[in-house]
Amino acid sequence: MPIITSNHKDLFRTPTTEDKLNLFQLLLDAHELTVNLSLALLKIIHRELKSDQFRDRSVYKHYAEAIESLRYHMLDTFQLVVAAWKHYQSASKTPVEWFPDDGPKG
């Protein structure tokens, strides 16, 4: 469980991948995750983990645990996220501004 701080400067720092995973887990635990929100957060987290500059293996473990938790607790949402992810990977209809690193294929 993430530690809540009263340090006001923490409110304005750039969130890390671990912070995003913590947000994902908090939303999952609160049953506030939707398919779109899950897909958006996981896409951002996945892109950050794919980058060559990322070396902290514990974050990969946390990511795998978050995916497994989503699959276990919200199987229908998990299945829709997987289907949407596959669709976005293969479709050229994805707006460029959504995923500027991927861009349309074709």
Side-chain angles (χ1 to χ4, degrees):
M1 185 61 82
I3 298 172
I4 298 176
T5 178
S6 61
N7 190 350
H8 295 287
K9 74 178 184 179
D10 284 344
L11 295 173
F12 301 102
R13 68 178 175 80
T14 303
T16 64
T17 305
E18 185 72 26
D19 293 333
K20 293 169 190 160
L21 280 164
N22 288 335
L23 173 62
F24 182 86
Q25 191 64 52
L26 286 171
L27 291 170
L28 176 64
D29 293 344
H31 304 288
E32 296 291 330
L33 275 180
T34 63
V35 173
N36 290 336
L37 182 56
S38 299
L39 184 63
L41 281 169
L42 291 174
K43 178 71 176 174
I44 291 166
I45 293 165
H46 184 79
R47 184 180 57 206
E48 290 178 7
L49 289 174
K50 255 179 33 174
S51 73
D52 290 335
Q53 63 190 355
F54 210 86
R55 302 281 185 239
D56 186 358
R57 304 313 266 174
S58 67
V59 179
Y60 287 98
K61 182 180 177 194
H62 189 173
Y63 176 71
E65 290 168 348
I67 297 294
E68 182 58 25
S69 184
L70 177 64
R71 187 190 67 76
Y72 183 78
H73 295 289
M74 298 178 73
L75 181 59
D76 55 336
T77 301
F78 172 78
Q79 291 171 335
L80 291 170
V81 166
V82 169
W85 191 296
K86 288 178 181 178
H87 174 76
Y88 289 139
Q89 294 297 319
S90 63
S92 61
K93 298 176 184 177
T94 305
V96 176
E97 62 272 10
W98 285 10
F99 308 116
D101 293 345
D102 295 346
K105 297 175 184 163

